[in-house]
Amino acid sequence: MASPYVLLICAIAACLGTIYALRGGWTSPLKTTIIGLDPQGLGISAIAVIAAVVLFGPVFGLSIILIVVIHEFGHVAAFRVAGHHDASFRLVPLLGGYAISNRPVDTQEESVFITLMGPAICLAPMLLAYALVPFAASVYPAAIGPLYTFAGICGALNFFNLLPIWPLDGGRLTASITSVFHERAPFYIFATSAAVIGLFAVLSQRIILVFIVVMTVQHLIETGGSDGRAPYRRMSKKRAWLCLGAWLFTAAALFMGGFNTILRFI
């Protein structure tokens, strides 16, 4: 087992790496807010918080909300790095959140960066929460449970978000990256994932999975599997391999961090 200090150093390194990767995106000259301060935005956000707390309990529910806020801010900050200073996001009760910009992306690399930074920004707080557990044991033991809960949910939710399923971030990455290697690759991948999810929905009798299948099939019919952000400049295969590596590394790290939570829900 790694020394607590080694894990803490890794967590600090992840935090510094995230700060560097999103340099120029932490603030905006337009003073874009993370969550809309208008009555509608505050109302939606309040409903999201209340729903999460009622359904999952205070620690679990508030952890989900905090993770969603961090995740969506990752998208917003990445938008800003790419020059989209109008970017913002809102919480959606029971569904998470969404980040938006009024200007379309210019390149495929830009699309991948914006999409991947939502889950990727969560690596640092996940590692930091795990790293603080040994220190909390001697200073404030009551924090151990919330730290483990937050870190586990952080890894599990963001790993799931990176699966090649539309309209998750993993689905958008699938459409952007795999199309570089073969134009029809996203279609085949989404069709396969829809079939697998559909089979699992029937066997487990989980209705919510049916909605994912319906959205995926609708997306295939309407776009043929594209990410919906075209037209933009396509990247080279060399850069596509680098993007694929970043995607897989992020997914693997989140899977390891959220492994126990994933097993709990499976």
Side-chain angles (χ1 to χ4, degrees), residues 29-93:
L30 299 182
K31 297 183 180 180
T32 308
T33 53
I34 299 175
I35 303 174
L37 295 178
D38 55 284
Q40 181 183 4
L42 289 174
I44 291 176
S45 300
I47 292 173
V49 173
I50 293 171
V53 170
V54 170
L55 288 176
F56 304 109
V59 174
F60 202 99
L62 292 176
S63 293
I64 291 177
I65 294 297
L66 179 58
I67 291 163
V68 169
V69 169
I70 295 172
H71 175 108
E72 295 303 333
F73 179 73
H75 290 310
V76 170
F79 264 123
R80 292 172 178 172
V81 171
H84 300 251
H85 290 285
D86 66 322
S88 61
F89 81 84
R90 292 188 187 279
L91 296 177
V92 180

